[in-house]
Amino acid sequence: MLSKLWNTLNTLSAKKPLKYTLYLSAIIIFFAIILIPPIIGILIKAGSLQAVFGQPELMNAALGAISNSFIIGLVVAALDLIAGLPLAWIISRGKSRWLSVLDTFADIPFVVPTAALGYSLLLFWSSSGGLSDLFGSTLVSPGWLLVMLLHFTFSYPVVVRVIVGAMLDYKMEYERASRTLGAPPLTAARTVTFPIIKPSLIAAFSLAFARSLSETGATFIVAGAFQNGPVFLQNLSNAFKNGSLTQAQYEGATVFASLILIVVSLTIFAIIRVLGQRIKLPFGHGLPIFEKKLSYAKAAWSRNSITLFVFLVIVLIPSLFVALPAFQAVATGTTFVEAFTGSGIWASYWQSLLLSYGLAAIVTVLGIILGIPIAILIARKTFGKLPSAIIDTLINVPIIVPSIALGLSLRFFWQGIPGIPDFALLVFAHLAITYPYFVRSMSAAMERINIDMEEAAKTLGAKPFTLFRTIVLPLTKYSILSGAIIVFTRSVSETGATLAVTSTLQTAPVLVVNWVNSLRGISPIAGVNALTVGLACGLLILFSFIILLVLRLLTRKGKV
Amino acid sequence: MPEVRIVNVTKKYGNLYALDNVSLTIQDQEYFSLLGPSGCGKTTLLRLIAGLIEPTSGEIYIGDRRVDKVPPEDRDIGFVFQTFALFPHMTAWSNVLYGPKVKNYDAKQSETIGHEVLELVKLNERLNAYPSELSGGMMQRIAVARALAAGAKTLLLDEPLGQLDAKVRNEIRYEIRRMAKDLKLTAIHVTHDQAEAMSISDRIAVMKKGKVVQIGTPQELYMHPNSLFVAHFIGESNFLEGYITEVNDAYSEIELRQGLRIKALNPRDIKKEERVVLAIRPETCEMKRGHIKAENALFGQVDKTTFEGTIVRYEIRLDNGDRFVINRPSLTEQWINVGDEVTITYPLDKAHLFPYPEAGLTEEISV
Ligand SMILES: Nc1ncnc2c1ncn2[C@@H]1O[C@H](COP(=O)(O)OP(=O)(O)O)[C@@H](O)[C@H]1O
Ligand SMILES: [Mg+2]
């Protein structure tokens, strides 16, 4: 039965027209669903800009919020690199068996939905009962500093992960050579290792920057009166809902802010892409003497301690701090029982979890199906070098566009076509945001496959489909898996685009944002208190953690 | 220029002894090779000397200085890696200047050094090319030049010719030796190729499974192997198993399979009735067609001949069933045909007698 299917697929795959139809449809879907709507939607609405031009305060507020976004994004991405390099170094170079534990912990803020993370940070840094208790006053009140801390916390793991990956691929021989030529460890790292892994450093910086620009839900929780781009857009939407803005003002300001966000992001990324290749640090005459002093014994020890301290106190403990009220809720019993019987507001909690995980599963499957042909196109240059390079560049656009702007644009685009359910919009939005991650990881994996191997299979008589099934798939299956993990976790975490495309469907992180708002007195919900929110976040983190462990176990097997 | 001294050095990876209590001294300005099959610990020893890894126990001296705790950048060594490890983000020229720059020489001084070493390795073209654009031979020269420019006094070479094709390899190996000698460096050269080690080394340490088996000049190792392993690994040997039946002042008599008796010198004083292995090199024997009555002769029949250019290799089945190989010059002698009966004789002092190894012959000579 199965072999019959393989045979049919094989015959089909060997037919050129059919093969090209397949690739072409993948490209068309990519443009029609993933690339175009998130950008064109805003342009369709460009007419509404009229409404803001007469409103200098609104425009200034928008511009101020947007510049906050970029400043925070760049600063956070830079801090991430500075703090992430030493930790990545410890993880990839250290010999202690504790490292794999550290390695797993470093992933936690990555899989925890950012909304839960935001609440956790809020508790840790600025509520009574958190760290602030020790100091007798609010240590970090909601505002720009807390936003920076938050963004640092959730983007740090991404940066560490990317750099660790690069360091594991890196040939240690280069660094050893540098040492034997007279360079102390720090000089060797600065003049040899970092320049060689520079593409990954740039990628890490860009990812952190993009994540910071996009994050909406958690930022909203910790921002207080401070506004960055996404918070500004969300505030607009709230103001429109409670009637303090007219439809025209709302749409005008929204289009204005989104458009600038999109254009400036794309410009900055283009600059990073072009300049990143060119930047070369000077050799630094005289620096090696200084670096030698910092390379050994005490200096190295304090460097490692500071790194671990930063990781623990700024990243890990604040991320997990919400466990405290969660345990309280478990201890008091009633909240716990309510939660698990799904009574009262908990019914909506479980529904939102179901929606989030269901949505993430659908998006993951679609992402894999639609992503593999595009990944092959990029890696194998099926249509030639230029088209593959163009697609390779365009694929990044949905990551670069701040997700709330992407969501808004998507909604404006599909609004014109009646009868599209909110759920479909949700799928499209999440697909657009997560798709690039999958294609990236898949095409990179395919580029690592030695082309000889595929050619050997061809000379042995393998048809294209057999080739894919017996060579490409087994060799890339762990990249497919890890790509799928990213897609899944990003989808579960996503708030900005979700809030933008639907006001009826409530995913888990959106529910967390709403509950926290209720706590803070913004649109209160009956039955929501510190214990319920704590437990809700705690459970969300626990589930994410379980998923992380299972996936780690799955991927680990592949490394043997 | 210094002497390098390894004292009781052990390196363990988990339970594996990569080096097991190794001691050796490499003299000042000596061209020394570490020779042994893959996995025997050569690279490990070289890296220990360079300071790229630390010994589990033991001491390492370079010159008068104990260096176990000295980081690699302070050991005045140059290391040429098997894969060359040229920095891919720098041009050939920048690679060469890396050492002087790191050591804080000013630009002019660095360039002078750069030109000097490039002169030495006879390379002055394509200096602005990146490593990926260079041929293997060029990369090799740049790698050596880079190590020399950094002011190396001890040159450590890890299979420096392994990546090159045969012809380039043969040219470059003498050049490296010449440079080391001209600059009065101490050079330690790792290789698994015994012909390479024999042709360029002052002395060689033969290694096996983390241990040094024998140290000596190429001639010593060839003429007087101290073990079956060395007899097998350096050059080639025929191994005949048997028992000692008689020991006297001049020679000992050995009984091979099926009662065949032959003689050999017995410098190790192996006792009567002990089990032994006799090692005879294929190129030391005389071979004549037909059964000829002679002292100390082996009889057999040619099974196979292989023409290998300068020599012809004969594989012979001895009358007692043992197998035997003989190499003869191909141009100066009449060839003998497959199926021919032959008589083999050998000079007594060219046959080496060893006690039968406890672990068995195959195990002893396995690499
Ligand atoms: N970093 C390491 N970890 C574990 N085992 C190693 C490591 N490096 C070398 N070994 C082992 O030590 C032994 C000697 O290795 P090496 O010195 O590289 O051999 P050679 O250079 O003679 O081929 C081998 O069995 C090798 O597998
Ligand atoms: Mg080796």
Side-chain angles (χ1 to χ4, degrees), chain A residues 431-447:
Chain A
L431 193 57
I433 289 166
T434 56
Y435 184 76
Y437 292 103
F438 179 76
V439 173
R440 261 290 99 88
S441 114
M442 180 74 191
S443 67
M446 288 202 53
E447 271 160 16

Side-chain angles (χ1 to χ4, degrees), chain A residues 326-340:
Chain A
F327 281 127
Q328 263 171 15
V330 174
T332 52
T334 48
T335 314
F336 188 61
V337 171
E338 271 170 26
F340 278 90

